[in-house]
Amino acid sequence: MISRVLSAELPEHIGERVTIAGWLHRRRVLKSVTFLVIRDRSGLAQVVLPAGAAPPGEETVLQVEGLVVASEQAPGGAELTGPVLTQLSGPAEPPPFDLYRPALTATLPTILDHAPTTLRHPQLRAGFEVAAASAAGFRAALDGAGFTEIFTPKIVESATEGGANVFAVDYFGRPAYLAQSPQFYKQAMVGVFERVFEVGPVFRAEPHDTARHLAEYASLDAELGFISDHFDVMPVCRDAVAGMVECVRERAGRAMHELAAALPEVPAEIPHVHFTEAMALISAATGDDLAGEDDLAPAHERWLCEWAAREHGSELLFVTGYPLTAKPFYTAPDPARPGYSSGFDLLFRGSEIVTGGQRLHRYEDYLKALAARGLDPAPFAGYLEVFRHGMPPHGGFAIGLERWTARLTGAANVRQVTLFPRDLHRITP
Amino acid sequence: MISRVLSAELPEHIGERVTIAGWLHRRRVLKSVTFLVIRDRSGLAQVVLPAGAAPPGEETVLQVEGLVVASEQAPGGAELTGPVLTQLSGPAEPPPFDLYRPALTATLPTILDHAPTTLRHPQLRAGFEVAAASAAGFRAALDGAGFTEIFTPKIVESATEGGANVFAVDYFGRPAYLAQSPQFYKQAMVGVFERVFEVGPVFRAEPHDTARHLAEYASLDAELGFISDHFDVMPVCRDAVAGMVECVRERAGRAMHELAAALPEVPAEIPHVHFTEAMALISAATGDDLAGEDDLAPAHERWLCEWAAREHGSELLFVTGYPLTAKPFYTAPDPARPGYSSGFDLLFRGSEIVTGGQRLHRYEDYLKALAARGLDPAPFAGYLEVFRHGMPPHGGFAIGLERWTARLTGAANVRQVTLFPRDLHRITP
């Protein structure tokens, strides 16, 4: 291994000769001296060169041996003097925009077209540190609650969430599809492990070109058995979100600071409001006629988040009991409110970030639900088989990692926090 | 939540009335008494019914309230008497084979055709507990070594690992493919995070119908920068494997016991042998003429594993320096041995379970490597761009989760440790 100290460790080595290694983040050639800023995974380090030195281009990878000297002007309070430079990469060509500028100066298409390089910008990189910490926090919360991780297939025989918006795959000459969710599999696995989670890609052939839709995204899925109703799923969802926030706090504090983003307080019990009550509140406040609506418009999600902040001091709000017509066929009805579901959404900072609820668990109920929607049960036969062999009452939820990360970091477009986004127009890089 | 104690907790409640819940694993109707065995995620519990009771069919989900009584004959030393049964599922139809028999009596096709139900068998379930613990151990080892988790796209514009064996996707009317590996992306992300890992599906349109090939599997990928050569990657791989073993020990001990499987000792340094030396050893021992061979045959991998056990007391063996012709174009050559690579495989219990090595990191070297193989650089343009902008020496490795789990648990066929396998002939359930 190339023997090195990380830039963040320099202050511990004042007075010693050490070696650092990283990318040449910035060159500042002054009359009397040349400063190099070296970027590594821990941060930035300043190197002082004598005047007249001819450093290589920005983004060249360098190993720098030098004497660590205290310096108030340098990042971290220490810099490297008397340096000996060794080039570890080929000489770098100028990147598509100046990565050393504190704020992003490129447009989103430029950033995305050149993602392998532009992601090196500390502000872009920060978003992914938050995403990684969120995924780790999700897993830790569920690991700690007796959940087993599962890996379910992404190539499937038929659409999971309905017939539209699926990508077709040529599977050894046979038709197949990319899974829109692990829904059927995670339900079936409740029959094996009782409590399961999966972190994996899902695929939606979304015809929408919006700031919050992707054709492929990371879904954080959980499902658990032996619930009484969806009010038993919501605390698990709350704990998962709290675990995500906690792990971001622990692991991605620097990234959140870089993005000037703040973590939410996750209440011990996230406030909840029934769909009908939410509609009545919105209608009373805005004068909008919402009769017959079976889903929340984006503006109404924003209004409800403001209301939750005002009324409950919470940036998170569960909306429960959406009409069954707005929910997939596997959703359990609310036995006390005909036409309404035992489902929920979790709203956060103006947008839905989680969908969940209780599922049907009896075979006959599935046949009835499919018939009520005019759906042919044949393509679901393999899925439905498990309900003939004893399934407990169960439910679960799914969190879109990119959408969550965008809300958490304040990114206006979900693509800013997706390493290599896929959408209606984009399949590269 | 349905208020319950788990079956494993019964011995702590002797003398109390408690509620358990789970699947009716087995009914034993005797003359004077009927025994029910209830299965939950923690294990089995025995319930004693008066003679003449008519219990529902096996796999029905039950809630059972009763008095916990010490009993030497019962699993865990306690059973439930005076029970009140509540049915939580619909009445269960008989599963495709008796799940209560200790050993699997069904054929692999029957098991796989009915996987959502057959996976409930404790022996099948055990394999996935081992897989889940392995994945968790992999992540923990890399998390602890400064690696960042990444989520890279599975729908890609061109083949990663060569033109063959890719699945075609209809991407909004444009041609696209399923990623054969996250190779290009994880390399590019070394430029951002220095050290990255990913746990995700990969897709191979494998025309082979063998006991160790799948069309979709979970790949545990890692990549790191600032290495001197592949001998800096191998210790990271060793630590990842050691972390996996440790996590299986901690979390899946019951599963390993169920499978009568033993964990390997992972040496502090896994022994390694160069490809040429390995071939000479095999040739000398077996008399096989191996001149001109550029890869190990399965029989030779088995021979080497026996040799490593004998010579080094290790169930794990690195084979280094495979000929470049056997390795993909991004493989770095060994500067000291023309024609040989800076790559390695890790063999375990007779089979290769990891492939890794140092990669090229200079733009010109990629152009030369592609030209030497007669490959058009055009489809790789987006991938190669990152090497124009400064990449450090780097390398990494990939572990196939299912193949690892099969070796670890002694499963003869990788499909036995894949929840819902995909192969040449199978896309359901």
Side-chain angles (χ1 to χ4, degrees):
Chain A
M1 203 72 75
I2 290 170
S3 171
R4 66 198 277 224
V5 302
L6 293 172
S7 60
E9 299 163 349
L10 281 189
E12 304 158 28
H13 294 275
I14 287 169
E16 298 170 31
R17 282 197 79 82
V18 300
T19 300
I20 62 170
W23 287 260
L24 178 47
H25 189 60
R26 185 168 194 188
R27 301 170 295 180
R28 285 176 62 220
V29 180
L30 306 180
K31 255 223 171 92
S32 58
V33 67
T34 291
F35 291 108
L36 303 185
V37 178
I38 302 289
R39 184 186 73 240
D40 66 18
R41 71 177 190 269
S42 76
L44 302 174
Q46 183 162 285
V47 175
V48 187
L49 263 71
E58 264 115 18
E59 294 307 305
T60 303
V61 183
L62 295 174
Q63 184 175 323
V64 185
E65 194 234 320
L67 179 68
V68 187
V69 172
S71 161
E72 282 188 11
Q73 277 75 44
E79 64 189 10
L80 234 55
T81 60
V84 181
L85 273 56
T86 311
Q87 200 163 312
L88 296 178
S89 69
E93 293 177 30
F97 69 97
D98 293 334
L99 295 176
Y100 58 78
R101 293 192 192 279
L104 290 168
T105 53
T107 62
L108 188 56
T110 297
I111 289 171
L112 299 181
D113 285 346
H114 302 280
T117 309
T118 56
L119 287 169
R120 297 177 183 180
H121 189 285
Q123 255 186 27
L124 285 168
R125 174 193 149 127
F128 302 98
E129 291 176 352
V130 172
S134 297
F138 175 83
R139 281 195 288 260
L142 296 177
D143 267 343
F147 282 71
T148 299
E149 183 173 11
I150 55 173
F151 299 90
T152 68
K154 304 310 162 200
I155 304 179
V156 295
E157 200 195 18
S158 53
T160 339
E161 300 286 329
N165 299 0
V166 285
F167 288 111
V169 180
D170 174 0
Y171 192 74
F172 298 112
R174 281 174 288 166
Y177 303 96
L178 292 181
Q180 295 164 302
S181 79
Q183 183 63 33
F184 297 171
Y185 294 107
K186 70 175 179 170
Q187 287 187 252
M189 289 307 95
V190 166
V192 178
F193 300 107
E194 294 188 17
R195 303 179 150 219
V196 294
F197 72 88
E198 179 161 15
V199 174
V202 298
F203 306 90
R204 307 275 170 109
E206 281 288 352
H208 307 300
D209 190 13
T210 78
R212 66 179 190 168
H213 285 97
L214 293 168
E216 176 179 346
Y217 65 88
S219 185
L220 312 179
D221 269 275
E223 198 78 13
L224 64 151
F226 299 98
I227 62 170
S228 298
D229 57 31
H230 54 302
F231 285 96
D232 285 341
V233 181
M234 287 151 59
V236 178
C237 177
R238 180 267 164 207
D239 290 349
V241 168
M244 293 163 76
V245 167
E246 208 40 57
C247 198
V248 171
R249 193 191 314 279
E250 284 165 22
R251 297 193 186 188
R254 180 185 65 170
M256 290 296 281
H257 181 76
E258 176 78 45
L259 295 163
L263 288 169
E265 283 289 325
V266 182
E269 189 180 349
I270 293 174
H272 61 90
V273 59
H274 192 271
F275 179 81
T276 52
E277 198 187 323
M279 291 307 244
L281 285 166
I282 297 164
S283 197
T286 65
D288 294 353
D289 177 14
L290 302 174
E293 294 292 330
D294 70 357
D295 207 350
L296 290 172
H300 296 150
E301 292 182 347
R302 287 193 291 274
W303 189 92
L304 280 174
C305 284
E306 286 161 25
W307 172 82
R310 214 162 52 229
E311 286 294 311
H312 298 286
S314 171
E315 292 196 85
L316 293 145
L317 175 71
F318 279 121
V319 179
T320 64
Y322 286 74
L324 278 170
T325 48
K327 291 286 168 188
F329 70 88
Y330 50 75
T331 308
D334 181 345
R337 296 216 204 200
Y340 292 94
S341 71
S342 287
F344 62 83
D345 277 9
L346 178 60
L347 308 186
F348 173 48
R349 295 186 181 167
S351 178
E352 168 253 312
I353 54 153
V354 183
T355 295
Q358 183 173 358
R359 329 297 188 180
L360 300 175
H361 68 282
R362 289 190 174 87
Y363 184 65
E364 320 77 66
D365 292 341
Y366 275 94
L367 295 185
K368 276 183 224 156
L370 287 166
R373 286 158 194 261
L375 291 169
D376 177 8
F380 302 104
Y383 165 49
L384 297 183
E385 185 191 319
V386 76
F387 299 101
R388 301 181 122 153
H389 299 295
M391 280 292 287
H394 63 282
F397 58 92
I399 307 177
L401 179 60
E402 294 82 355
R403 203 181 275 191
W404 155 261
T405 305
R407 292 294 89 191
L408 193 60
T409 61
N413 192 313
V414 74
R415 288 166 186 76
Q416 289 166 252
V417 292
T418 308
L419 282 179
F420 299 95
R422 295 293 181 253
D423 63 31
L424 193 53
H425 304 295
R426 177 175 294 278
I427 192 178
T428 55
Chain B
M1 203 72 74
I2 290 168
S3 173
R4 66 198 275 225
V5 301
L6 293 173
S7 59
E9 300 163 347
L10 280 189
E12 304 157 27
H13 295 273
I14 287 169
E16 299 170 31
R17 282 196 81 83
V18 302
T19 300
I20 61 170
W23 287 260
L24 179 46
H25 188 61
R26 186 170 191 184
R27 301 170 295 179
R28 285 175 61 218
V29 181
L30 306 180
K31 255 222 168 94
S32 58
V33 67
T34 291
F35 292 108
L36 302 184
V37 179
I38 302 289
R39 183 186 74 241
D40 66 19
R41 70 177 189 270
S42 76
L44 303 173
Q46 182 161 287
V47 176
V48 187
L49 263 70
E58 265 114 18
E59 294 307 305
T60 303
V61 183
L62 295 174
Q63 182 176 325
V64 186
E65 196 235 319
L67 179 68
V68 187
V69 172
S71 161
E72 282 186 12
Q73 278 75 45
E79 63 188 12
L80 235 55
T81 59
V84 181
L85 274 57
T86 312
Q87 198 162 315
L88 296 178
S89 69
E93 291 177 31
F97 69 96
D98 292 335
L99 295 176
Y100 59 78
R101 293 192 192 279
L104 291 168
T105 54
T107 62
L108 189 56
T110 298
I111 289 171
L112 299 180
D113 285 346
H114 303 280
T117 309
T118 55
L119 288 170
R120 296 177 183 179
H121 190 285
Q123 256 187 23
L124 284 168
R125 173 193 150 129
F128 302 98
E129 291 176 351
V130 172
S134 297
F138 174 83
R139 284 198 212 89
L142 295 177
D143 267 344
F147 283 71
T148 299
E149 183 174 9
I150 55 173
F151 300 90
T152 68
K154 305 309 162 201
I155 305 179
V156 294
E157 200 196 19
S158 53
T160 338
E161 301 286 329
N165 300 1
V166 286
F167 288 112
V169 180
D170 174 1
Y171 193 73
F172 298 113
R174 280 175 287 167
Y177 303 96
L178 293 181
Q180 293 163 302
S181 79
Q183 183 63 31
F184 298 172
Y185 294 108
K186 70 175 178 170
Q187 286 188 252
M189 289 307 95
V190 166
V192 177
F193 301 108
E194 295 189 15
R195 304 178 149 221
V196 294
F197 73 88
E198 179 161 15
V199 175
V202 297
F203 306 90
R204 307 274 170 109
E206 281 288 352
H208 308 300
D209 191 14
T210 78
R212 66 179 189 169
H213 285 97
L214 294 168
E216 176 179 345
Y217 65 89
S219 184
L220 312 179
D221 268 275
E223 198 79 11
L224 65 150
F226 300 99
I227 62 169
S228 298
D229 57 31
H230 54 302
F231 285 95
D232 284 342
V233 180
M234 286 150 60
V236 178
C237 177
R238 180 266 163 206
D239 289 351
V241 169
M244 292 162 76
V245 167
E246 209 38 59
C247 198
V248 171
R249 193 191 314 280
E250 284 166 21
R251 297 192 186 187
R254 182 185 64 171
M256 289 296 282
H257 180 76
E258 176 78 44
L259 295 162
L263 288 169
E265 282 290 324
V266 182
E269 190 180 347
I270 293 174
H272 60 90
V273 59
H274 192 272
F275 179 81
T276 52
E277 199 187 321
M279 291 306 244
L281 285 166
I282 297 164
S283 197
T286 64
D288 294 352
D289 175 16
L290 302 174
E293 294 291 329
D294 70 357
D295 206 350
L296 291 172
H300 296 150
E301 292 182 346
R302 287 193 292 273
W303 189 92
L304 280 174
C305 285
E306 285 162 23
W307 173 81
R310 213 161 53 229
E311 285 294 310
H312 297 285
S314 171
E315 292 197 86
L316 293 144
L317 175 71
F318 280 120
V319 179
T320 63
Y322 286 74
L324 277 170
T325 47
K327 291 287 168 187
F329 70 89
Y330 48 76
T331 309
D334 181 346
R337 296 215 204 200
Y340 292 93
S341 71
S342 286
F344 62 84
D345 277 9
L346 179 60
L347 308 186
F348 173 49
R349 294 184 181 168
S351 178
E352 168 254 312
I353 53 153
V354 182
T355 295
Q358 183 173 358
R359 329 297 187 179
L360 300 175
H361 68 283
R362 289 191 174 87
Y363 183 65
E364 319 79 66
D365 292 341
Y366 275 95
L367 294 186
K368 276 183 227 159
L370 288 166
R373 287 160 192 261
L375 290 169
D376 177 8
F380 302 105
Y383 164 49
L384 296 184
E385 186 191 319
V386 77
F387 298 102
R388 302 181 120 154
H389 298 295
M391 280 291 286
H394 63 282
F397 58 92
I399 307 177
L401 179 59
E402 295 82 355
R403 203 180 275 191
W404 155 262
T405 305
R407 292 294 89 191
L408 194 60
T409 61
N413 193 311
V414 74
R415 288 165 186 77
Q416 289 167 252
V417 291
T418 307
L419 282 178
F420 300 95
R422 296 291 182 254
D423 63 30
L424 192 53
H425 305 294
R426 178 174 293 279
I427 191 178
T428 55

